[in-house]
Amino acid sequence: MGIEEDIKQGKKFENIYEKLVVNIMFTNSWVVDEQAKIFKPYGITTPQYNVLRILRGQYPDACTVNMIIDRMLDRMSNASRIVDRLENKELVERTVCKTDRRAKDVLITEKGLAVLNEVDNALQLWMKKMDLLSVQEAHQMNDCLDKLRTI
């Protein structure tokens, strides 16, 4: 099925670039929805998953909230609030920053690492479906998306 059918487009796109932008936006939404279904049984959201991955990448070192913000995929997310929710779930902990007493360090907990490992396993099963694209096609798509972000 093409993008026209997916969005029930009655008229043609103005040009191929308009179709591309709509297709990217629609596909992004589809990926986010699919991932949200995977994350739901684990009680986390897509932005929370992103923060947990960032923290795991730093582990055993901690991150500041500003460092998390710099690395987040969705820059519109409220990192402080996300960290609050993860802390309430005991997936992360905050400690006083050693270099700046006004700041807080955020560290993923053992429970957070365990949840992330389970989620990653479920996500890997979903991502195996991506093999309908050849490795060459996946490289090509990545290259094209990287190129688009240079404008």
Side-chain angles (χ1 to χ4, degrees):
M1 188 182 301
I3 187 67
E4 293 90 345
E5 294 87 21
D6 286 338
I7 65 170
K8 297 167 182 53
Q9 171 106 356
K11 64 178 184 102
K12 294 242 185 241
F13 288 102
E14 291 291 320
N15 57 55
I16 194 68
Y17 299 106
E18 179 187 26
K19 179 178 178 178
L20 173 64
V21 170
V22 171
N23 206 339
I24 290 170
M25 292 168 56
F26 183 81
T27 304
N28 173 65
S29 180
W30 173 80
V31 169
V32 169
D33 289 345
E34 291 294 308
Q35 287 184 335
K37 291 175 197 171
I38 294 168
F39 301 148
K40 188 173 184 173
Y42 302 97
I44 62 172
T45 63
T46 302
Q48 289 171 352
Y49 174 75
N50 185 209
V51 169
L52 288 172
R53 283 188 46 114
I54 292 165
L55 293 172
R56 181 177 59 188
Q58 283 295 118
Y59 187 80
D61 295 327
C63 283
T64 63
V65 172
N66 284 339
M67 187 184 297
I68 293 169
I69 291 168
D70 288 344
R71 297 179 181 183
M72 287 190 71
L73 297 176
D74 180 3
R75 307 262 187 222
M76 299 304 289
S77 294
N78 185 329
S80 294
R81 202 169 330 161
I82 293 167
V83 169
D84 288 343
R85 290 189 176 122
L86 290 171
E87 188 175 29
N88 289 337
K89 296 174 186 184
E90 300 177 346
L91 302 178
V92 304
E93 62 185 18
R94 290 186 210 220
T95 58
V96 175
C97 180
K98 294 173 184 147
T99 58
D100 182 355
R101 291 178 168 239
R102 296 168 293 167
K104 295 281 188 173
D105 282 336
V106 183
L107 183 69
I108 190 168
T109 63
E110 290 297 324
K111 181 179 177 181
L113 288 168
V115 167
L116 195 53
N117 189 44
E118 287 183 44
V119 172
D120 283 346
N121 290 334
L123 201 54
Q124 285 298 322
L125 289 173
W126 175 73
M127 279 200 261
K128 283 187 186 236
K129 297 175 185 176
M130 301 287 168
D131 70 0
L132 65 96
L133 296 174
S134 70
V135 171
Q136 181 182 354
E137 288 171 323
H139 279 295
Q140 205 171 17
M141 287 181 75
N142 278 306
D143 291 345
C144 289
L145 292 170
D146 290 343
K147 187 175 182 178
L148 259 180
R149 287 191 313 280
T150 65
I151 58 173

